[in-house]
Amino acid sequence: MGSYTASSQSSKLIFRQLFEKESSTYTYLLADVSHPDKPALLIDPVDKTVDRDLSLVKELGLKLIYALNTHVHADHVTGTGLIKTKSPGVKSIISKASGSKADLLVEPGDKVSFGDLFLEVRATPGHTLGCITYVTGDGPDQPQPRMAFTGDALLIRGCGRTDFQVWYSSLQLYKSVHSQIFTLPKDTLIYPAHDYKGFSVSTVEEEMLYNPRLTKNQDHNHVDKHLI
């Protein structure tokens, strides 16, 4: 059901991008392999591919400590609950603004640490009120270039639909992407929760230049509320 689509490894970070075909969802595995425990986390796991993901964690000799969601998903069932059942001790994470339940409810500015690495939490509402983007840390001891896991807020050449919750969500999405993602270094890698056109990664610079939904002037912005 899923396949390995990309991988990279630095002296500290091991990274895997995984794909679930039915919902076209990306799940991301990150771990600090320089730490004795090799702590790892999964971002946006899908219930149908939990066994695959946990098998990979085991094969790589990692210790899964967190299962994170960027938002409450409408197009698939999150794998977080199943992961907690199969791997006791793993803690679930979602934004406090989502109104959902999890072991840890995070807010903008919080850090999710795994070993000596961390993810920074940024609020990117619009697709849903509780959408957040996880960004790898800034600093000489953190992976470079930085990586932003944008959920449905920012897709490659697109964005998430904005008709789920409130009428002003299109403007809210535009503002949050521009203030929280487009202010990152231009070489920051963009990893979305979905792709339907065969793309796997982009950059802040590319999306600032070529994203047709988010490059218009704010006063004339028309984010399509029925994109996803």
Side-chain angles (χ1 to χ4, degrees), residues 97 123-131 153 162 165-180 214 218 221 223:
T124 47
H127 174 62
T128 69
L129 292 174
C131 282
T162 57
Q165 295 184 327
V166 290
W167 66 269
Y168 58 83
S169 291
S170 293
L171 181 59
Q172 189 179 44
L173 178 64
Y174 181 94
K175 287 182 174 179
S176 68
V177 169
H178 275 259
S179 65
Q180 299 300 315
L214 294 160
Q218 179 178 327
N221 179 53
V223 175

Side-chain angles (χ1 to χ4, degrees), residues 17-19 24-28 43-44 70 148-158 189-196 199-202:
Q17 182 184 47
L18 305 162
F19 190 62
S24 297
T25 299
Y26 284 122
T27 295
Y28 299 97
I43 300 174
D44 287 335
T70 53
F149 301 92
T150 57
D152 288 8
L154 176 62
L155 305 180
I156 297 174
R157 309 300 191 265
L189 300 171
I190 300 297
Y191 288 104
H194 302 281
D195 189 83
Y196 307 92
F199 293 111
S200 59
V201 63
S202 184

